[in-house]
């Protein structure tokens, strides 16, 4: 009887801890599509939100996917590229991070890699979500697990621009369990 009561308290405590987990949605958006997804996620979860801002903003020419000499193409093709952040995002008060980003050349932009390496993600549940022309976050997730191995990386998802708040919420609540 005593063991059952103790087990019930432990399970209930874990459930309450999960229900009271503080969540931060961190996002990078060059064109606004990912910003909308991040805002939807933050509203759906009642989470705080923070933007990854590059110290040197991306211009339209920098984002030209048809120009192999554009800044974004050069960064994507350079494994050591780590664009500087305009400021650090404090993740210390959060248990869960939803990381939203676009897919560039089948991976996360290197500015997101900069955040992952410097974002204080150790011990936190982290769920990557992305916007793209159709590619998912699988390749980025593999890189993120290597860049921040002490984070609790959850499987992520791609969301089209037409994703509803209910769809985003359903996925994230499941991923953060």
């Amino acid at each position: 009887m005593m063991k059952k009561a103790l087990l019930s308290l432990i399970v209930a405590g874990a459930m309450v801890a999960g229900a009271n987990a503080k969540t931060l949605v961190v996002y990078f958006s060059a064109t606004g599509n990912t910003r909308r997804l991040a805002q939807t996620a933050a509203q759906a979860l009642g989470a705080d939100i923070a933007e990854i801002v590059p110290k040197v903003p991306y211009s339209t020419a920098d984002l030209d996917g048809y120009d192999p000499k554009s800044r974004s193409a050069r960064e994507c093709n350079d494994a050591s590229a780590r664009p500087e952040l305009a400021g650090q995002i404090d993740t210390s008060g959060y248990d869960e991070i939803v990381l939203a980003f676009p897919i560039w050349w089948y991976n996360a932009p290197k500015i997101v890699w900069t955040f992952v390496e410097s974002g204080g993600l150790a011990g936190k549940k982290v769920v990557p979500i992305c916007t793209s022309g159709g590619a998912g976050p699988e390749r980025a997730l593999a890189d993120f697990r290597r860049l921040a191995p002490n984070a609790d990386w959850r499987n992520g998802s791609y969301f089209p621009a037409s994703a509803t708040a209910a769809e985003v919420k359903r996925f994230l609540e499941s991923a953060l369990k």
Side-chain angles (χ1 to χ4, degrees), residues 34-83:
T34 306
R35 177 180 295 113
R36 285 189 294 280
L37 174 61
Q39 290 168 339
T40 298
Q43 289 172 344
L45 296 173
D48 294 336
I49 191 167
E51 183 177 8
I52 297 170
V53 179
K55 186 171 184 176
V56 177
Y58 289 91
S59 69
T60 302
D62 290 337
L63 300 171
D64 184 350
Y66 297 104
D67 180 2
K69 295 181 182 179
S70 71
R71 176 179 166 198
S72 58
R74 288 190 325 268
E75 288 176 359
C76 285
N77 289 318
D78 180 357
S80 66
R82 296 298 184 276

Side-chain angles (χ1 to χ4, degrees), residues 1 9 21 28 31 41 56 60 81 88-90 107 116 127 132 147 153 167:
M1 185 69 116
L9 285 173
F28 169 71
T31 63
V56 177
T60 302
Q88 294 296 320
I89 296 173
D90 183 6
N107 209 331
V116 167
V127 179
S132 78
L147 297 170
W153 289 100
E167 291 169 326

Side-chain angles (χ1 to χ4, degrees), residues 79-165:
S80 66
R82 296 298 184 276
E84 193 173 348
L85 303 173
Q88 294 296 320
I89 296 173
D90 183 6
T91 62
S92 63
Y94 299 92
D95 305 308
E96 303 169 339
I97 307 293
V98 174
L99 181 58
F101 54 91
I103 295 292
W104 290 357
W105 290 271
Y106 303 99
N107 209 331
K110 293 297 173 68
I111 188 77
V112 178
W113 289 33
T114 303
F115 167 75
V116 167
E117 288 181 326
S118 64
L121 301 177
K124 298 177 189 313
K125 292 180 186 177
V126 187
V127 179
I129 59 174
C130 68
T131 58
S132 78
E138 295 80 16
R139 184 171 168 191
L141 180 56
D143 289 323
F144 295 160
R145 285 181 169 143
R146 182 178 46 78
L147 297 170
N150 294 322
D152 179 5
W153 289 100
R154 304 301 176 97
N155 288 328
S157 184
Y158 152 77
F159 287 95
S162 61
T164 68

